[in-house]
Amino acid sequence: MADFLTVALVCASALAAPDCSRETALDVAVAPAPTPLTCLMQGETLAAQSGLLRGRETYLKVACERRRTAALRPGAETEAR
C-alpha cells in the first residue's frame, strides 16, 4: 500500500493559493503514491489526464498527504460495544 496520496486541487483563479484546499477547490483528484517525490511528479499528470483544468479561470495546486491508517489498540473492539 502507498504511504502517500497525491491530491490535485483545481481552484478558481480568484482564490488565493493558501486558501485552496479540498473544501474550497472546484475539483479534486486523488491517487496513491509510494513516495513524496512520486506524489509531486504525478500531480500535474493526474490533473492533465482528468481534463479538470479550465484555462485561465483555474489553477492547479498539488498537495501530498500522508495516508491515514486506523490502528486499533488491543481491546478497542470490545470497548466500543
Short mmCIF file of all heavy atoms in Angstrom, two decimals:
data_model
loop_
_atom_site.label_atom_id
_atom_site.label_comp_id
_atom_site.label_asym_id
_atom_site.label_seq_id
_atom_site.Cartn_x
_atom_site.Cartn_y
_atom_site.Cartn_z
N MET A 1 0.84 -1.17 0.00
CA MET A 1 0.00 0.00 0.00
C MET A 1 0.89 1.25 0.00
O MET A 1 1.91 1.30 0.65
CB MET A 1 -0.92 0.02 1.22
CG MET A 1 -1.72 1.28 1.27
SD MET A 1 -3.04 1.49 2.48
CE MET A 1 -2.70 0.47 3.83
N ALA A 2 0.47 2.25 -0.77
CA ALA A 2 1.19 3.51 -0.84
C ALA A 2 1.04 4.28 0.46
O ALA A 2 -0.03 4.27 1.08
CB ALA A 2 0.67 4.33 -2.01
N ASP A 3 2.12 4.93 0.87
CA ASP A 3 2.10 5.69 2.11
C ASP A 3 1.56 7.10 1.94
O ASP A 3 1.23 7.77 2.91
CB ASP A 3 3.50 5.77 2.70
CG ASP A 3 3.99 4.43 3.22
OD1 ASP A 3 3.15 3.60 3.60
OD2 ASP A 3 5.21 4.21 3.24
N PHE A 4 1.50 7.58 0.69
CA PHE A 4 1.10 8.95 0.43
C PHE A 4 -0.05 9.01 -0.56
O PHE A 4 -0.30 8.06 -1.29
CB PHE A 4 2.29 9.75 -0.13
CG PHE A 4 3.43 9.85 0.83
CD1 PHE A 4 4.44 8.91 0.82
CD2 PHE A 4 3.49 10.88 1.76
CE1 PHE A 4 5.49 8.98 1.71
CE2 PHE A 4 4.54 10.96 2.65
CZ PHE A 4 5.54 10.01 2.64
N LEU A 5 -0.71 10.16 -0.57
CA LEU A 5 -1.76 10.43 -1.55
C LEU A 5 -1.40 11.70 -2.30
O LEU A 5 -1.04 12.71 -1.68
CB LEU A 5 -3.11 10.64 -0.87
CG LEU A 5 -3.73 9.44 -0.18
CD1 LEU A 5 -5.00 9.87 0.56
CD2 LEU A 5 -4.04 8.34 -1.17
N THR A 6 -1.48 11.65 -3.62
CA THR A 6 -1.36 12.85 -4.43
C THR A 6 -2.74 13.47 -4.49
O THR A 6 -3.71 12.80 -4.84
CB THR A 6 -0.90 12.52 -5.86
OG1 THR A 6 0.37 11.89 -5.80
CG2 THR A 6 -0.80 13.76 -6.71
N VAL A 7 -2.83 14.73 -4.14
CA VAL A 7 -4.11 15.44 -4.19
C VAL A 7 -3.95 16.61 -5.15
O VAL A 7 -3.19 17.54 -4.88
CB VAL A 7 -4.53 15.95 -2.79
CG1 VAL A 7 -5.88 16.64 -2.86
CG2 VAL A 7 -4.56 14.80 -1.79
N ALA A 8 -4.61 16.52 -6.29
CA ALA A 8 -4.59 17.59 -7.28
C ALA A 8 -5.84 18.44 -7.08
O ALA A 8 -6.96 17.95 -7.22
CB ALA A 8 -4.56 17.01 -8.69
N LEU A 9 -5.61 19.69 -6.72
CA LEU A 9 -6.71 20.61 -6.45
C LEU A 9 -6.83 21.61 -7.60
O LEU A 9 -5.84 22.25 -7.96
CB LEU A 9 -6.45 21.39 -5.15
CG LEU A 9 -6.21 20.54 -3.91
CD1 LEU A 9 -5.66 21.41 -2.80
CD2 LEU A 9 -7.49 19.87 -3.48
N VAL A 10 -7.99 21.74 -8.17
CA VAL A 10 -8.24 22.73 -9.22
C VAL A 10 -9.05 23.84 -8.57
O VAL A 10 -10.19 23.61 -8.15
CB VAL A 10 -8.99 22.11 -10.41
CG1 VAL A 10 -9.28 23.17 -11.45
CG2 VAL A 10 -8.18 20.97 -11.00
N CYS A 11 -8.44 25.01 -8.47
CA CYS A 11 -9.09 26.12 -7.78
C CYS A 11 -9.33 27.29 -8.72
O CYS A 11 -8.61 27.46 -9.72
CB CYS A 11 -8.22 26.58 -6.61
SG CYS A 11 -8.16 25.35 -5.29
N ALA A 12 -10.32 28.10 -8.41
CA ALA A 12 -10.63 29.30 -9.20
C ALA A 12 -9.48 30.28 -9.09
O ALA A 12 -8.87 30.44 -8.02
CB ALA A 12 -11.92 29.94 -8.68
N SER A 13 -9.16 30.92 -10.20
CA SER A 13 -8.02 31.84 -10.21
C SER A 13 -8.21 33.01 -9.24
O SER A 13 -7.24 33.61 -8.79
CB SER A 13 -7.76 32.36 -11.62
OG SER A 13 -8.91 32.99 -12.13
N ALA A 14 -9.44 33.32 -8.87
CA ALA A 14 -9.70 34.39 -7.91
C ALA A 14 -9.37 33.98 -6.47
O ALA A 14 -9.25 34.84 -5.59
CB ALA A 14 -11.16 34.82 -7.99
N LEU A 15 -9.17 32.69 -6.23
CA LEU A 15 -8.89 32.18 -4.89
C LEU A 15 -7.38 32.19 -4.63
O LEU A 15 -6.60 31.67 -5.44
CB LEU A 15 -9.43 30.76 -4.74
CG LEU A 15 -9.34 30.11 -3.36
CD1 LEU A 15 -10.25 30.84 -2.38
CD2 LEU A 15 -9.73 28.65 -3.45
N ALA A 16 -6.95 32.75 -3.52
CA ALA A 16 -5.52 32.79 -3.17
C ALA A 16 -5.02 31.37 -2.92
O ALA A 16 -5.75 30.54 -2.36
CB ALA A 16 -5.31 33.65 -1.94
N ALA A 17 -3.79 31.09 -3.32
CA ALA A 17 -3.22 29.75 -3.19
C ALA A 17 -3.28 29.20 -1.76
O ALA A 17 -3.61 28.03 -1.57
CB ALA A 17 -1.79 29.73 -3.71
N PRO A 18 -3.00 30.00 -0.72
CA PRO A 18 -3.09 29.45 0.63
C PRO A 18 -4.51 29.02 1.02
O PRO A 18 -4.70 28.18 1.90
CB PRO A 18 -2.62 30.60 1.54
CG PRO A 18 -1.80 31.46 0.65
CD PRO A 18 -2.41 31.34 -0.71
N ASP A 19 -5.51 29.58 0.35
CA ASP A 19 -6.91 29.25 0.66
C ASP A 19 -7.43 28.08 -0.16
O ASP A 19 -8.55 27.61 0.07
CB ASP A 19 -7.80 30.47 0.42
CG ASP A 19 -7.44 31.62 1.34
OD1 ASP A 19 -6.98 31.36 2.48
OD2 ASP A 19 -7.60 32.79 0.92
N CYS A 20 -6.64 27.60 -1.12
CA CYS A 20 -7.04 26.48 -1.95
C CYS A 20 -6.86 25.18 -1.15
O CYS A 20 -5.77 24.83 -0.73
CB CYS A 20 -6.17 26.44 -3.22
SG CYS A 20 -6.55 25.09 -4.33
N SER A 21 -7.97 24.48 -0.92
CA SER A 21 -7.95 23.24 -0.14
C SER A 21 -8.99 22.29 -0.72
O SER A 21 -9.71 22.63 -1.65
CB SER A 21 -8.28 23.54 1.33
OG SER A 21 -9.63 23.97 1.44
N ARG A 22 -9.08 21.10 -0.14
CA ARG A 22 -10.10 20.15 -0.60
C ARG A 22 -11.50 20.75 -0.48
O ARG A 22 -12.38 20.46 -1.28
CB ARG A 22 -10.03 18.86 0.22
CG ARG A 22 -8.89 17.95 -0.15
CD ARG A 22 -9.03 16.66 0.64
NE ARG A 22 -7.93 15.74 0.43
CZ ARG A 22 -8.09 14.44 0.24
NH1 ARG A 22 -9.28 13.91 0.26
NH2 ARG A 22 -7.05 13.67 0.05
N GLU A 23 -11.72 21.57 0.52
CA GLU A 23 -13.03 22.14 0.76
C GLU A 23 -13.36 23.28 -0.21
O GLU A 23 -14.53 23.50 -0.54
CB GLU A 23 -13.15 22.66 2.20
CG GLU A 23 -13.16 21.56 3.25
CD GLU A 23 -11.78 20.97 3.52
OE1 GLU A 23 -10.76 21.69 3.38
OE2 GLU A 23 -11.70 19.78 3.85
N THR A 24 -12.36 24.03 -0.65
CA THR A 24 -12.62 25.20 -1.50
C THR A 24 -12.35 24.95 -2.98
O THR A 24 -12.69 25.80 -3.81
CB THR A 24 -11.75 26.39 -1.04
OG1 THR A 24 -10.37 26.03 -1.14
CG2 THR A 24 -12.09 26.80 0.38
N ALA A 25 -11.77 23.83 -3.33
CA ALA A 25 -11.43 23.53 -4.73
C ALA A 25 -12.69 23.28 -5.55
O ALA A 25 -13.69 22.79 -5.05
CB ALA A 25 -10.51 22.32 -4.79
N LEU A 26 -12.60 23.60 -6.83
CA LEU A 26 -13.69 23.32 -7.76
C LEU A 26 -13.73 21.83 -8.09
O LEU A 26 -14.81 21.26 -8.26
CB LEU A 26 -13.51 24.13 -9.05
CG LEU A 26 -13.48 25.65 -8.90
CD1 LEU A 26 -13.10 26.30 -10.21
CD2 LEU A 26 -14.83 26.14 -8.41
N ASP A 27 -12.56 21.23 -8.21
CA ASP A 27 -12.43 19.80 -8.49
C ASP A 27 -11.25 19.25 -7.72
O ASP A 27 -10.27 19.97 -7.47
CB ASP A 27 -12.21 19.54 -9.99
CG ASP A 27 -13.44 19.81 -10.82
OD1 ASP A 27 -14.47 19.16 -10.55
OD2 ASP A 27 -13.37 20.65 -11.73
N VAL A 28 -11.33 17.98 -7.35
CA VAL A 28 -10.27 17.32 -6.62
C VAL A 28 -10.03 15.94 -7.24
O VAL A 28 -11.00 15.21 -7.49
CB VAL A 28 -10.63 17.14 -5.12
CG1 VAL A 28 -9.52 16.41 -4.38
CG2 VAL A 28 -10.92 18.48 -4.48
N ALA A 29 -8.77 15.61 -7.49
CA ALA A 29 -8.40 14.28 -7.96
C ALA A 29 -7.38 13.71 -6.99
O ALA A 29 -6.46 14.42 -6.57
CB ALA A 29 -7.83 14.34 -9.37
N VAL A 30 -7.54 12.46 -6.61
CA VAL A 30 -6.67 11.83 -5.62
C VAL A 30 -6.15 10.51 -6.18
O VAL A 30 -6.90 9.75 -6.80
CB VAL A 30 -7.43 11.57 -4.29
CG1 VAL A 30 -6.53 10.93 -3.27
CG2 VAL A 30 -8.02 12.85 -3.76
N ALA A 31 -4.85 10.24 -5.93
CA ALA A 31 -4.26 8.97 -6.38
C ALA A 31 -3.18 8.56 -5.37
O ALA A 31 -2.53 9.41 -4.76
CB ALA A 31 -3.64 9.13 -7.75
N PRO A 32 -3.00 7.26 -5.16
CA PRO A 32 -1.95 6.80 -4.25
C PRO A 32 -0.57 7.06 -4.83
O PRO A 32 -0.38 7.07 -6.04
CB PRO A 32 -2.23 5.30 -4.13
CG PRO A 32 -3.01 4.94 -5.33
CD PRO A 32 -3.75 6.17 -5.75
N ALA A 33 0.40 7.26 -3.94
CA ALA A 33 1.79 7.49 -4.34
C ALA A 33 2.70 6.81 -3.32
O ALA A 33 2.50 6.95 -2.11
CB ALA A 33 2.10 8.97 -4.40
N PRO A 34 3.73 6.08 -3.79
CA PRO A 34 4.62 5.38 -2.86
C PRO A 34 5.61 6.28 -2.13
O PRO A 34 6.03 5.96 -1.02
CB PRO A 34 5.34 4.37 -3.75
CG PRO A 34 5.28 4.97 -5.11
CD PRO A 34 4.01 5.76 -5.17
N THR A 35 5.99 7.43 -2.74
CA THR A 35 6.97 8.33 -2.12
C THR A 35 6.54 9.78 -2.32
O THR A 35 5.75 10.08 -3.22
CB THR A 35 8.37 8.15 -2.76
OG1 THR A 35 8.31 8.63 -4.12
CG2 THR A 35 8.85 6.72 -2.72
N PRO A 36 7.10 10.70 -1.53
CA PRO A 36 6.77 12.12 -1.72
C PRO A 36 7.18 12.63 -3.11
O PRO A 36 6.46 13.42 -3.71
CB PRO A 36 7.56 12.82 -0.62
CG PRO A 36 7.76 11.80 0.43
CD PRO A 36 7.89 10.50 -0.31
N LEU A 37 8.30 12.17 -3.62
CA LEU A 37 8.75 12.61 -4.94
C LEU A 37 7.77 12.16 -6.02
O LEU A 37 7.38 12.95 -6.89
CB LEU A 37 10.15 12.05 -5.23
CG LEU A 37 10.75 12.47 -6.56
CD1 LEU A 37 10.85 13.99 -6.66
CD2 LEU A 37 12.12 11.85 -6.75
N THR A 38 7.34 10.93 -5.94
CA THR A 38 6.35 10.43 -6.89
C THR A 38 5.05 11.22 -6.77
O THR A 38 4.40 11.54 -7.76
CB THR A 38 6.06 8.93 -6.64
OG1 THR A 38 7.28 8.21 -6.70
CG2 THR A 38 5.09 8.38 -7.66
N CYS A 39 4.70 11.54 -5.57
CA CYS A 39 3.49 12.32 -5.30
C CYS A 39 3.52 13.64 -6.06
O CYS A 39 2.57 13.98 -6.77
CB CYS A 39 3.38 12.57 -3.80
SG CYS A 39 1.96 13.54 -3.34
N LEU A 40 4.60 14.37 -5.94
CA LEU A 40 4.71 15.67 -6.61
C LEU A 40 4.74 15.52 -8.13
O LEU A 40 4.13 16.30 -8.85
CB LEU A 40 5.95 16.41 -6.12
CG LEU A 40 5.88 16.89 -4.68
CD1 LEU A 40 7.22 17.43 -4.23
CD2 LEU A 40 4.80 17.95 -4.52
N MET A 41 5.44 14.50 -8.61
CA MET A 41 5.57 14.32 -10.05
C MET A 41 4.25 13.93 -10.70
O MET A 41 3.97 14.33 -11.82
CB MET A 41 6.65 13.27 -10.37
CG MET A 41 8.04 13.77 -10.04
SD MET A 41 9.42 12.68 -10.49
CE MET A 41 8.76 11.12 -10.82
N GLN A 42 3.43 13.16 -10.03
CA GLN A 42 2.20 12.70 -10.66
C GLN A 42 1.04 13.67 -10.53
O GLN A 42 0.02 13.51 -11.18
CB GLN A 42 1.81 11.31 -10.17
CG GLN A 42 1.18 11.24 -8.82
CD GLN A 42 0.85 9.81 -8.43
OE1 GLN A 42 1.24 8.86 -9.09
NE2 GLN A 42 0.15 9.65 -7.34
N GLY A 43 1.18 14.70 -9.73
CA GLY A 43 0.09 15.66 -9.55
C GLY A 43 -0.34 16.34 -10.83
O GLY A 43 -1.53 16.40 -11.15
N GLU A 44 0.62 16.89 -11.58
CA GLU A 44 0.28 17.57 -12.83
C GLU A 44 -0.27 16.59 -13.85
O GLU A 44 -1.20 16.90 -14.59
CB GLU A 44 1.50 18.30 -13.37
CG GLU A 44 1.86 19.51 -12.54
CD GLU A 44 2.99 20.32 -13.16
OE1 GLU A 44 3.17 20.27 -14.38
OE2 GLU A 44 3.66 21.01 -12.41
N THR A 45 0.31 15.39 -13.91
CA THR A 45 -0.16 14.38 -14.84
C THR A 45 -1.61 13.99 -14.52
O THR A 45 -2.44 13.86 -15.41
CB THR A 45 0.73 13.13 -14.78
OG1 THR A 45 2.08 13.53 -15.04
CG2 THR A 45 0.31 12.09 -15.77
N LEU A 46 -1.88 13.82 -13.24
CA LEU A 46 -3.23 13.46 -12.80
C LEU A 46 -4.25 14.51 -13.25
O LEU A 46 -5.29 14.19 -13.80
CB LEU A 46 -3.24 13.32 -11.29
CG LEU A 46 -4.51 12.87 -10.60
CD1 LEU A 46 -4.88 11.46 -11.04
CD2 LEU A 46 -4.31 12.90 -9.09
N ALA A 47 -3.92 15.77 -13.07
CA ALA A 47 -4.84 16.84 -13.45
C ALA A 47 -4.97 16.93 -14.97
O ALA A 47 -6.07 17.12 -15.49
CB ALA A 47 -4.36 18.17 -12.89
N ALA A 48 -3.88 16.77 -15.69
CA ALA A 48 -3.91 16.86 -17.15
C ALA A 48 -4.74 15.73 -17.75
O ALA A 48 -5.55 15.95 -18.65
CB ALA A 48 -2.51 16.83 -17.71
N GLN A 49 -4.57 14.53 -17.24
CA GLN A 49 -5.31 13.38 -17.76
C GLN A 49 -6.80 13.48 -17.45
O GLN A 49 -7.63 12.97 -18.20
CB GLN A 49 -4.75 12.08 -17.20
CG GLN A 49 -3.41 11.72 -17.76
CD GLN A 49 -2.83 10.47 -17.11
OE1 GLN A 49 -3.29 10.03 -16.06
NE2 GLN A 49 -1.81 9.91 -17.73
N SER A 50 -7.14 14.11 -16.37
CA SER A 50 -8.55 14.20 -15.98
C SER A 50 -9.29 15.29 -16.74
O SER A 50 -10.52 15.30 -16.78
CB SER A 50 -8.66 14.47 -14.48
OG SER A 50 -8.16 15.77 -14.20
N GLY A 51 -8.57 16.24 -17.33
CA GLY A 51 -9.20 17.33 -18.06
C GLY A 51 -9.89 18.33 -17.15
O GLY A 51 -10.82 19.02 -17.56
N LEU A 52 -9.43 18.43 -15.91
CA LEU A 52 -10.09 19.31 -14.95
C LEU A 52 -9.74 20.79 -15.12
O LEU A 52 -10.52 21.65 -14.73
CB LEU A 52 -9.73 18.87 -13.52
CG LEU A 52 -10.20 17.48 -13.10
CD1 LEU A 52 -9.67 17.15 -11.71
CD2 LEU A 52 -11.71 17.39 -13.13
N LEU A 53 -8.56 21.10 -15.65
CA LEU A 53 -8.14 22.50 -15.75
C LEU A 53 -8.93 23.21 -16.84
O LEU A 53 -9.21 22.66 -17.90
CB LEU A 53 -6.65 22.58 -16.04
CG LEU A 53 -5.76 22.08 -14.91
CD1 LEU A 53 -4.31 22.08 -15.33
CD2 LEU A 53 -5.95 22.93 -13.67
N ARG A 54 -9.28 24.47 -16.56
CA ARG A 54 -10.10 25.26 -17.49
C ARG A 54 -9.42 26.60 -17.81
O ARG A 54 -9.88 27.65 -17.37
CB ARG A 54 -11.48 25.49 -16.91
CG ARG A 54 -12.29 24.22 -16.75
CD ARG A 54 -13.69 24.52 -16.26
NE ARG A 54 -13.77 24.72 -14.83
CZ ARG A 54 -14.02 23.75 -13.96
NH1 ARG A 54 -14.18 22.52 -14.37
NH2 ARG A 54 -14.09 24.01 -12.67
N GLY A 55 -8.36 26.56 -18.55
CA GLY A 55 -7.68 27.78 -18.99
C GLY A 55 -7.25 28.70 -17.87
O GLY A 55 -6.78 28.25 -16.83
N ARG A 56 -7.46 29.97 -18.08
CA ARG A 56 -7.03 30.98 -17.10
C ARG A 56 -8.01 31.14 -15.95
O ARG A 56 -7.75 31.87 -15.01
CB ARG A 56 -6.83 32.32 -17.79
CG ARG A 56 -5.69 32.29 -18.76
CD ARG A 56 -5.49 33.62 -19.40
NE ARG A 56 -4.42 33.53 -20.38
CZ ARG A 56 -3.80 34.55 -20.86
NH1 ARG A 56 -4.16 35.77 -20.51
NH2 ARG A 56 -2.84 34.39 -21.74
N GLU A 57 -9.12 30.47 -16.04
CA GLU A 57 -10.14 30.57 -14.98
C GLU A 57 -9.75 29.79 -13.74
O GLU A 57 -10.28 30.02 -12.66
CB GLU A 57 -11.48 30.03 -15.48
CG GLU A 57 -12.04 30.76 -16.67
CD GLU A 57 -13.23 30.04 -17.27
OE1 GLU A 57 -13.72 29.08 -16.66
OE2 GLU A 57 -13.66 30.45 -18.35
N THR A 58 -8.83 28.82 -13.90
CA THR A 58 -8.45 27.95 -12.79
C THR A 58 -6.93 27.78 -12.74
O THR A 58 -6.23 28.12 -13.69
CB THR A 58 -9.07 26.55 -12.95
OG1 THR A 58 -8.61 25.97 -14.17
CG2 THR A 58 -10.58 26.61 -12.93
N TYR A 59 -6.46 27.25 -11.62
CA TYR A 59 -5.05 26.88 -11.50
C TYR A 59 -4.96 25.57 -10.72
O TYR A 59 -5.91 25.16 -10.05
CB TYR A 59 -4.21 27.98 -10.83
CG TYR A 59 -4.55 28.25 -9.38
CD1 TYR A 59 -3.88 27.60 -8.35
CD2 TYR A 59 -5.54 29.17 -9.04
CE1 TYR A 59 -4.19 27.85 -7.03
CE2 TYR A 59 -5.84 29.44 -7.73
CZ TYR A 59 -5.16 28.77 -6.72
OH TYR A 59 -5.47 29.03 -5.41
N LEU A 60 -3.82 24.94 -10.83
CA LEU A 60 -3.59 23.64 -10.19
C LEU A 60 -2.71 23.81 -8.96
O LEU A 60 -1.70 24.51 -9.00
CB LEU A 60 -2.90 22.68 -11.17
CG LEU A 60 -2.45 21.34 -10.59
CD1 LEU A 60 -3.66 20.49 -10.21
CD2 LEU A 60 -1.59 20.61 -11.60
N LYS A 61 -3.11 23.17 -7.89
CA LYS A 61 -2.30 23.10 -6.68
C LYS A 61 -2.17 21.62 -6.33
O LYS A 61 -3.16 20.91 -6.25
CB LYS A 61 -2.95 23.86 -5.53
CG LYS A 61 -2.15 23.81 -4.24
CD LYS A 61 -2.83 24.64 -3.16
CE LYS A 61 -2.10 24.57 -1.85
NZ LYS A 61 -2.74 25.38 -0.81
N VAL A 62 -0.93 21.16 -6.17
CA VAL A 62 -0.69 19.76 -5.84
C VAL A 62 -0.28 19.66 -4.38
O VAL A 62 0.62 20.37 -3.93
CB VAL A 62 0.41 19.14 -6.73
CG1 VAL A 62 0.69 17.71 -6.34
CG2 VAL A 62 0.00 19.22 -8.20
N ALA A 63 -0.95 18.79 -3.66
CA ALA A 63 -0.62 18.55 -2.26
C ALA A 63 -0.31 17.07 -2.08
O ALA A 63 -0.89 16.22 -2.76
CB ALA A 63 -1.79 18.95 -1.37
N CYS A 64 0.62 16.78 -1.21
CA CYS A 64 0.94 15.39 -0.88
C CYS A 64 0.55 15.18 0.57
O CYS A 64 0.97 15.93 1.45
CB CYS A 64 2.43 15.12 -1.06
SG CYS A 64 2.94 15.26 -2.78
N GLU A 65 -0.26 14.18 0.78
CA GLU A 65 -0.73 13.88 2.13
C GLU A 65 -0.29 12.49 2.54
O GLU A 65 -0.27 11.58 1.72
CB GLU A 65 -2.26 13.95 2.18
CG GLU A 65 -2.83 15.30 1.83
CD GLU A 65 -4.35 15.29 1.80
OE1 GLU A 65 -4.97 14.23 2.03
OE2 GLU A 65 -4.92 16.37 1.55
N ARG A 66 0.07 12.35 3.80
CA ARG A 66 0.37 11.02 4.31
C ARG A 66 -0.95 10.29 4.49
O ARG A 66 -1.91 10.84 5.03
CB ARG A 66 1.11 11.10 5.63
CG ARG A 66 1.57 9.74 6.14
CD ARG A 66 2.52 9.85 7.31
NE ARG A 66 3.80 10.41 6.97
CZ ARG A 66 4.81 9.74 6.44
NH1 ARG A 66 4.67 8.48 6.15
NH2 ARG A 66 5.96 10.32 6.20
N ARG A 67 -0.99 9.08 4.00
CA ARG A 67 -2.22 8.28 4.11
C ARG A 67 -2.49 7.97 5.58
O ARG A 67 -1.59 7.59 6.32
CB ARG A 67 -2.07 6.99 3.31
CG ARG A 67 -3.32 6.17 3.31
CD ARG A 67 -3.13 5.00 2.41
NE ARG A 67 -3.35 5.46 1.05
CZ ARG A 67 -3.84 4.70 0.09
NH1 ARG A 67 -4.10 3.44 0.32
NH2 ARG A 67 -4.03 5.17 -1.10
N ARG A 68 -3.71 8.13 6.00
CA ARG A 68 -4.10 7.82 7.38
C ARG A 68 -4.46 6.35 7.48
O ARG A 68 -5.11 5.80 6.60
CB ARG A 68 -5.32 8.63 7.79
CG ARG A 68 -5.05 10.09 7.83
CD ARG A 68 -6.27 10.83 8.31
NE ARG A 68 -6.27 12.15 7.68
CZ ARG A 68 -7.33 12.75 7.22
NH1 ARG A 68 -8.51 12.20 7.33
NH2 ARG A 68 -7.25 13.93 6.66
N THR A 69 -4.04 5.73 8.57
CA THR A 69 -4.41 4.34 8.80
C THR A 69 -5.07 4.24 10.17
O THR A 69 -4.69 4.94 11.11
CB THR A 69 -3.19 3.40 8.76
OG1 THR A 69 -2.23 3.85 9.72
CG2 THR A 69 -2.56 3.41 7.38
N ALA A 70 -6.04 3.40 10.25
CA ALA A 70 -6.72 3.19 11.53
C ALA A 70 -6.01 2.07 12.27
O ALA A 70 -5.94 0.94 11.80
CB ALA A 70 -8.18 2.81 11.29
N ALA A 71 -5.47 2.39 13.39
CA ALA A 71 -4.78 1.39 14.20
C ALA A 71 -5.58 1.20 15.49
O ALA A 71 -5.82 2.13 16.23
CB ALA A 71 -3.36 1.84 14.52
N LEU A 72 -6.00 0.01 15.72
CA LEU A 72 -6.73 -0.30 16.94
C LEU A 72 -5.78 -0.79 18.01
O LEU A 72 -4.92 -1.62 17.76
CB LEU A 72 -7.78 -1.39 16.67
CG LEU A 72 -8.93 -0.99 15.76
CD1 LEU A 72 -9.82 -2.21 15.52
CD2 LEU A 72 -9.74 0.12 16.37
N ARG A 73 -5.95 -0.28 19.17
CA ARG A 73 -5.14 -0.78 20.27
C ARG A 73 -5.81 -2.05 20.81
O ARG A 73 -7.02 -2.24 20.62
CB ARG A 73 -4.98 0.27 21.35
CG ARG A 73 -6.22 0.71 22.01
CD ARG A 73 -5.94 1.79 23.06
NE ARG A 73 -7.04 1.84 23.98
CZ ARG A 73 -8.16 2.47 23.75
NH1 ARG A 73 -8.35 3.11 22.63
NH2 ARG A 73 -9.13 2.46 24.65
N PRO A 74 -5.08 -2.92 21.43
CA PRO A 74 -5.69 -4.15 21.94
C PRO A 74 -6.89 -3.86 22.84
O PRO A 74 -6.83 -2.98 23.69
CB PRO A 74 -4.56 -4.80 22.75
CG PRO A 74 -3.31 -4.22 22.17
CD PRO A 74 -3.67 -2.82 21.71
N GLY A 75 -7.97 -4.55 22.59
CA GLY A 75 -9.16 -4.40 23.40
C GLY A 75 -10.10 -3.29 22.95
O GLY A 75 -11.18 -3.13 23.50
N ALA A 76 -9.72 -2.53 21.92
CA ALA A 76 -10.55 -1.41 21.48
C ALA A 76 -11.88 -1.89 20.91
O ALA A 76 -12.88 -1.22 21.03
CB ALA A 76 -9.80 -0.57 20.43
N GLU A 77 -11.89 -3.06 20.28
CA GLU A 77 -13.13 -3.56 19.69
C GLU A 77 -14.16 -3.84 20.77
O GLU A 77 -15.34 -3.56 20.61
CB GLU A 77 -12.86 -4.83 18.89
CG GLU A 77 -12.09 -4.56 17.62
CD GLU A 77 -11.81 -5.83 16.86
OE1 GLU A 77 -12.24 -6.92 17.31
OE2 GLU A 77 -11.14 -5.76 15.84
N THR A 78 -13.75 -4.42 21.89
CA THR A 78 -14.69 -4.76 22.95
C THR A 78 -15.17 -3.52 23.71
O THR A 78 -16.28 -3.47 24.18
CB THR A 78 -14.07 -5.77 23.94
OG1 THR A 78 -12.88 -5.23 24.47
CG2 THR A 78 -13.81 -7.09 23.25
N GLU A 79 -14.31 -2.49 23.79
CA GLU A 79 -14.70 -1.25 24.49
C GLU A 79 -15.76 -0.48 23.71
O GLU A 79 -16.57 0.20 24.30
CB GLU A 79 -13.48 -0.35 24.69
CG GLU A 79 -12.48 -0.91 25.68
CD GLU A 79 -11.24 -0.02 25.75
OE1 GLU A 79 -11.28 1.13 25.27
OE2 GLU A 79 -10.22 -0.49 26.29
N ALA A 80 -15.73 -0.58 22.38
CA ALA A 80 -16.64 0.20 21.56
C ALA A 80 -18.06 -0.34 21.59
O ALA A 80 -18.99 0.31 21.19
CB ALA A 80 -16.13 0.20 20.11
N ARG A 81 -18.27 -1.53 22.07
CA ARG A 81 -19.63 -2.14 22.07
C ARG A 81 -20.50 -1.62 23.15
O ARG A 81 -20.37 -1.14 24.10
CB ARG A 81 -19.50 -3.66 22.23
CG ARG A 81 -18.90 -4.24 21.00
CD ARG A 81 -18.84 -5.72 21.16
NE ARG A 81 -18.02 -6.26 20.08
CZ ARG A 81 -17.61 -7.47 20.01
NH1 ARG A 81 -17.91 -8.34 20.95
NH2 ARG A 81 -16.86 -7.89 19.03
#
